[in-house]
Structures are given as structure tokens and as C-alpha cells.
């Protein structure tokens, strides 16, 4: 019995052994404990099992999970659960690999940030446009608040693009494989949530000069600022630029969380 892809789960099953092996090689799996997000029909699972010490194949779809269990790979344990609910602390030191449903990519990224101390590295197959945003540089089209957020915690590496035809059913867009490696944050934050909400708020006005973006964000400009970056657009600012501006605003008594 072959499981049918369920639209509500955003399922697009990998159908190429060649691509599965290419992902495993990019992840450089060598006897690690691997957590696979969305094992599906097991195409990638089988290739991971050849290199990993053990694979915890996480699959939310009970039909797919049952079929995977029936295949009985010796070093694969099937977990019929939502990855978003998984306690990664129980799998400390693991490597995370997965073909991510486009609709929950941000939620998975946020979980990886929150639980970043519980795994070594992650390799994700995601929508190409989203991946390009994570890889974007200041001033480029894809540069956004999510770029700043992810690159504060991780070094992001580009793997390779996967055309739609390598999935069943074929998605409407291409995918890209990326790697996330831990890094030392470029600066320390007292309140990470507040800082990244600030960046997200400013990026709502990415086409305006920063001075006008701040006026729109706060409703008025709280004080005269002398930053030379005030005449740049938010999409042109580096992460350190946002931090320096944020620190100055925090030092103003009237600054408050938006």
C-alpha cells in the first residue's frame, strides 16, 4: 500500500534516491543520532540509516508511520508525532534532517532556535524562495527580518536546489537544501524577543528610509536621532546596525515595547 499525499499536511514525498543520497552527503552524516522531520515514504530515511548510528524518523501522518514501521529498518525508530511537539532535549547531540512542509517552515525554524542547545546541526529542505531569504545579504531583494533572526543564531549554508519533479506530487516551486550550524552570537541581548520584534516591525516599512520607518512604527519619532543610517532603508541595514539603533532607543525613557 502506498500512502497518498495529504494536502492539509503539505506533503510532497521525495521520489529520488539520487537526491536522498545527495542530501545525506551534504549533511555529512557519520554515525550520529539523526532526527528526521517528516519521514514520509522513507526515501530519505533509508539513506540516512546507512550512515547514521540511529535514525528517529518523526512522521505526523499515522498512515505513513505504519508503513515505515512495516519496513522494519534495524536502526530506525518511527515516532508518530508532530515534530513541533517533540522534546529535543531527549535527543541531545543529534543531527536534524528533514523535508519541511512549506506552511510551517517558520514554526520549525523558531523551534530550532528555542531548542538550539539540544542538537549539533540541522539540514533542511525548504521552499527555494524562503531559503534564499535566509541566505540573503543586506540590500538584496530577499533580505528580511527572518534573515536577521536566523543569522543571529546560526551560520546558514547553501546546499543545492531541487526541482519540483523530484517530489510526488510535484510542488509548484523549487526547493533548496540548507544547513544551519551553531555560531557565537555577534552580541548579547537582554531581551531577544523584544529585539527581533523591533526588527520585524521596522521591516514592515522596508521601502521607506529608516527615519520614516521609525515614525510609522512608533507613531512619532521619540527624539531627534543623529544616526547616518537614518537615511538608509531597513533592507540595507546589517544586524549590527539594528542592534546599535535598538540600544540607543532603549536608552530613551519613552521607548516602550510595541
Amino acid at each position: 500500500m502506498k500512502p497518498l499525499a495529504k494536502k492539509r499536511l503539505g506533503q510532497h514525498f521525495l521520489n529520488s534516491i539520487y537526491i536522498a543520497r545527495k542530501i545525506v552527503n551534504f549533511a555529512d552524516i557519520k554515525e550520529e543520532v539523526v532526527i528526521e522531520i517528516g519521514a514520509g515514504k522513507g526515501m530519505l530515511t533509508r539513506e540516512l540509516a546507512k550512515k547514521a548510528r540511529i535514525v528517529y524518523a518523526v512522521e505526523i501522518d499515522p498512515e505513513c508511520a505504519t508503513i515505515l514501521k512495516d519496513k522494519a529498518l534495524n536502526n530506525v525508530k518511527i515516532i508518530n508525532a508532530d515534530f513541533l511537539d517533540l522534546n529535543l532535549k531527549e535527543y541531545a547531540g543529534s543531527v536534524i534532517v528533514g523535508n519541511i512542509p512549506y506552511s510551517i517552515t517558520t514554526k520549525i525554524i523558531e523551534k530550532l532556535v528555542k531548542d538550539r542547545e539540544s542538537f549539533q546541526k540541522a539540514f533542511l529542505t525548504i521552499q527555494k524562495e524562503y531559503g534564499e531569504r535566509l541566505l540573503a545579504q543586506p540590500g538584496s531583494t530577499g533580505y528580511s527580518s527572518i534573515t536577521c533572526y536566523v543569522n543571529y543564531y546560526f551560520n546558514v549554508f547553501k546546499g543545492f536546489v531541487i526541482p519540483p519533479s523530484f517530489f510526488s506530487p510535484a510542488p509548484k516551486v523549487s526547493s533548496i537544501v540548507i544547513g544551519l550550524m551553531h555560531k557565537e552570537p555577534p552580541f548579547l541581548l537582554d531581551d531577544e524577543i523584544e529585539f527581533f520584534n523591533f526588527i520585524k516591525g521596522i521591516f514592515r516599512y522596508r521601502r521607506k528610509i529608516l527615519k520614516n520607518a521609525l515614525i510609522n512604527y512608533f507613531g512619532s519619532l521619540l527624539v531627534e536621532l543623529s544616526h547616518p543610517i537614518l537615511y538608509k532603508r531597513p533592507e540595507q541595514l546589517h544586524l549590527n546596525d539594528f542592534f546599535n539603533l535598538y540600544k540607543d532607543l532603549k536608552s530613551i525613557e519613552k521607548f516602550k515595547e510595541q
Side-chain angles (χ1 to χ4, degrees):
M1 180 177 66
K2 293 184 178 181
L4 297 176
K6 297 174 178 63
K7 189 174 182 180
R8 64 182 174 81
L9 296 177
Q11 289 176 328
H12 296 279
F13 299 123
L14 187 65
N15 61 24
S16 167
I17 293 176
Y18 166 74
I19 294 295
R21 288 174 179 167
K22 196 170 179 181
I23 292 171
V24 174
N25 288 336
F26 176 62
D28 194 26
I29 302 300
K30 294 177 180 176
E31 287 296 315
E32 293 103 339
V33 172
V34 172
I35 297 175
E36 183 188 6
I37 307 173
K41 295 182 178 182
M43 180 69 72
L44 180 58
T45 313
R46 288 190 292 274
E47 296 305 314
L48 287 168
K50 294 175 183 178
K51 298 290 183 72
R53 184 163 81 250
I54 186 169
V55 178
Y56 291 98
V58 183
E59 177 52 58
I60 193 172
D61 184 351
E63 183 184 7
C64 285
T66 298
I67 292 171
L68 288 167
K69 286 177 182 177
D70 290 343
K71 292 180 179 178
L73 295 170
N74 290 334
N75 63 335
V76 175
K77 295 187 182 298
I78 311 301
I79 301 174
N80 183 201
D82 186 341
F83 174 77
L84 294 174
D85 296 329
L86 201 68
N87 183 0
L88 293 184
K89 291 180 181 178
E90 296 179 3
Y91 309 89
S94 58
V95 176
I96 295 175
V97 183
N99 172 27
I100 308 304
Y102 295 162
S103 61
I104 59 169
T105 302
T106 298
K107 289 183 179 180
I108 288 176
I109 292 288
E110 289 173 345
K111 179 177 177 62
L112 294 181
V113 167
K114 179 183 176 183
D115 296 336
R116 59 191 178 277
E117 301 301 327
S118 298
F119 65 93
Q120 292 184 46
K121 50 189 177 178
F123 300 90
L124 309 177
T125 302
I126 59 179
Q127 184 177 354
K128 181 172 177 283
E129 181 182 359
Y130 196 108
E132 288 172 342
R133 289 167 62 194
L134 302 186
L135 292 159
Q137 296 298 313
S140 64
T141 303
Y143 189 67
S144 64
S145 59
I146 194 69
T147 317
C148 296
Y149 176 66
V150 173
N151 281 269
Y152 176 80
Y153 298 102
F154 301 110
N155 287 315
V156 185
F157 296 93
K158 180 179 179 180
F160 53 94
V161 173
I162 307 176
S165 59
F166 288 98
F167 297 93
S168 299
K172 295 180 180 179
V173 296
S174 294
S175 301
I176 190 171
V177 182
I178 61 159
L180 301 178
M181 308 289 189
H182 293 292
K183 66 185 281 189
E184 286 294 321
F187 44 79
L188 296 179
L189 293 165
D190 293 330
D191 190 329
E192 295 174 14
I193 293 174
E194 183 182 75
F195 176 62
F196 289 111
N197 281 341
F198 169 70
I199 293 179
K200 187 184 295 184
I202 296 302
F203 261 104
R204 295 180 198 144
Y205 313 101
R206 60 182 295 131
R207 298 299 181 185
K208 296 181 180 290
I209 63 169
L210 184 57
K211 183 176 181 179
N212 291 337
L214 289 169
I215 291 171
N216 278 272
Y217 179 59
F218 289 111
S220 63
L221 196 58
L222 301 177
V223 70
E224 280 298 321
L225 298 173
S226 58
H227 277 282
I229 63 171
L230 286 176
Y231 296 93
K232 291 185 177 182
R233 293 185 176 90
E235 61 187 10
Q236 297 174 301
L237 304 188
H238 290 262
L239 187 56
N240 280 327
D241 294 328
F242 281 111
F243 179 59
N244 290 330
L245 178 64
Y246 173 77
K247 280 196 305 181
D248 283 353
L249 291 169
K250 285 288 287 183
S251 70
I252 300 168
E253 186 178 351
K254 292 182 180 179
F255 177 81
K256 59 183 179 179
E257 185 176 353
Q258 296 298 304

